[in-house]
Amino acid sequence: MKAFFRYSVILVFASLMMAVSGCSKNSTKPEVETTLFEADGLWLGGFTFMENGQVKGVQSAFCMIAPDGRVYFLQPFLNGDDYSLLANGNLAQQASGGAGALTIYDSLGTPVGTLTISRGKTFETMIEGQAVYSLTAQFQGSAAPLLGEGELSLARMDTMYNRPSSLTYLAGRWQLVEEGVTTFLDFQASGSLGGGNTSGCRFEGRVEIIEATKNLYNIPTFTITQCGSPWDGTYQGLAALIEDELILTLAKQDDSFAFFIIFTR
């Protein structure tokens, strides 16, 4: 099964950039260090790619942080090149806020580096971090290694996060069609889910409400079968509804493989 989110990811980041304009801001309030539990939410900003010491570009980045400290960070494709980044991990609760080293995965789901929240601090309105990665991507028709560091800067999407969640919002079929392959998920109001794709993969799992007043969902278990290596296995992750799109971020329980996928009705 291919990394089947390639085309829709560009569209959802465009809608996120429009949505963030409605986020609450207070330009006169100084940055105040907060506890981990105040860092939960949806975050949007930019990620600066560095290739061999040179700035390659700045792209939109999206991050989901659960109240228990789990983090899933999404980076779309860079200038049309055939790769993206996903990072997941946990923030450790500290007096100064949250700190943690996240595992970075390339568009094939392979671990390629780390993303670290800088100086162990999260701020009320801003998260900053640094990444070190090593991967191979397609540039101008030929494979080229990417070695270096990246910088992350994210701002809160309070307007999008402070929306109610409900299993009834998810109930029904969600799907993605890419390169002739249809991938779908069927959600039940009970929280159970199942699905697959027209290539023969099969999915089953559960989704849970984290907090009824917040737009973030927990996926405690998500199992893929009949897909082959490296896809088959048991995952866990987070999900959020952004306008009419459902973003799922999933990682294997041993962190050996991860991916994200964006569905529509």
Side-chain angles (χ1 to χ4, degrees):
M1 184 172 66
K2 295 185 63 177
F4 33 68
F5 47 76
R6 177 176 180 182
Y7 298 109
S8 62
V9 69
I10 302 300
L11 299 178
V12 75
F13 274 90
S15 64
L16 284 171
M17 290 303 291
M18 295 177 64
V20 77
S21 62
C23 293
S24 60
K25 298 180 180 179
N26 188 338
S27 59
T28 62
K29 189 174 183 179
E31 291 182 339
V32 178
E33 295 180 19
T34 65
T35 66
L36 167 63
F37 300 103
E38 293 175 298
D40 68 294
L42 304 179
W43 299 77
L44 182 68
F47 186 81
T48 302
F49 281 87
M50 304 290 291
E51 178 189 355
N52 301 324
Q54 301 296 320
V55 174
K56 180 66 177 179
V58 179
Q59 299 293 311
S60 300
F62 176 60
C63 186
M64 294 185 279
I65 302 179
D68 62 6
R70 282 175 297 150
V71 181
Y72 287 84
F73 157 79
L74 312 183
Q75 167 62 50
F77 295 89
L78 173 63
N79 298 330
D81 295 314
D82 194 13
Y83 77 95
S84 62
L85 294 179
L86 165 68
N88 83 287
N90 288 272
L91 294 179
Q93 186 174 2
Q94 297 182 355
S96 61
L102 314 183
T103 301
I104 297 178
Y105 303 84
D106 63 13
S107 60
L108 300 178
T110 304
V112 295
T114 59
L115 172 62
T116 303
I117 301 300
S118 62
R119 298 188 305 280
K121 296 180 179 179
T122 58
F123 297 95
E124 183 174 356
T125 59
M126 180 70 69
I127 287 179
E128 296 178 335
Q130 295 180 335
V132 178
Y133 51 84
S134 175
L135 67 156
T136 299
Q138 294 293 324
F139 288 104
Q140 298 179 350
S142 62
L146 277 178
L147 303 172
E149 298 182 352
E151 296 182 355
L152 173 69
S153 179
L154 301 172
R156 283 188 179 276
M157 296 179 64
D158 285 342
T159 300
M160 193 65 66
Y161 184 52
N162 293 327
R163 294 181 178 181
S165 57
S166 171
L167 295 179
T168 60
Y169 297 164
L170 302 181
R173 172 159 292 194
W174 296 79
Q175 66 179 15
L176 169 66
V177 179
E178 180 186 85
E179 296 181 356
V181 176
T182 299
T183 301
F184 62 92
L185 281 180
D186 294 320
F187 288 84
Q188 307 300 320
S190 64
S192 63
L193 63 89
N197 66 20
T198 52
S199 294
C201 299
R202 292 293 174 261
F203 315 139
E204 64 177 23
R206 289 195 59 78
V207 62
E208 301 172 341
I209 300 297
I210 297 177
E211 186 176 341
T213 60
K214 303 297 183 182
N215 177 24
L216 194 64
Y217 298 82
N218 181 41
I219 303 176
T221 179
F222 187 98
T223 302
I224 298 179
T225 58
Q226 302 181 40
C227 242
S229 179
W231 295 93
D232 285 357
T234 301
Y235 299 72
Q236 58 188 12
L238 298 173
L241 281 170
I242 306 297
E243 304 303 343
D244 59 348
E245 295 176 307
L246 175 64
I247 303 178
L248 274 73
T249 55
L250 297 163
K252 283 189 174 179
Q253 294 179 343
D254 63 359
D255 291 332
S256 63
F257 187 76
F259 68 97
F260 67 93
I261 184 169
I262 301 168
F263 289 105
T264 59
R265 289 289 190 182

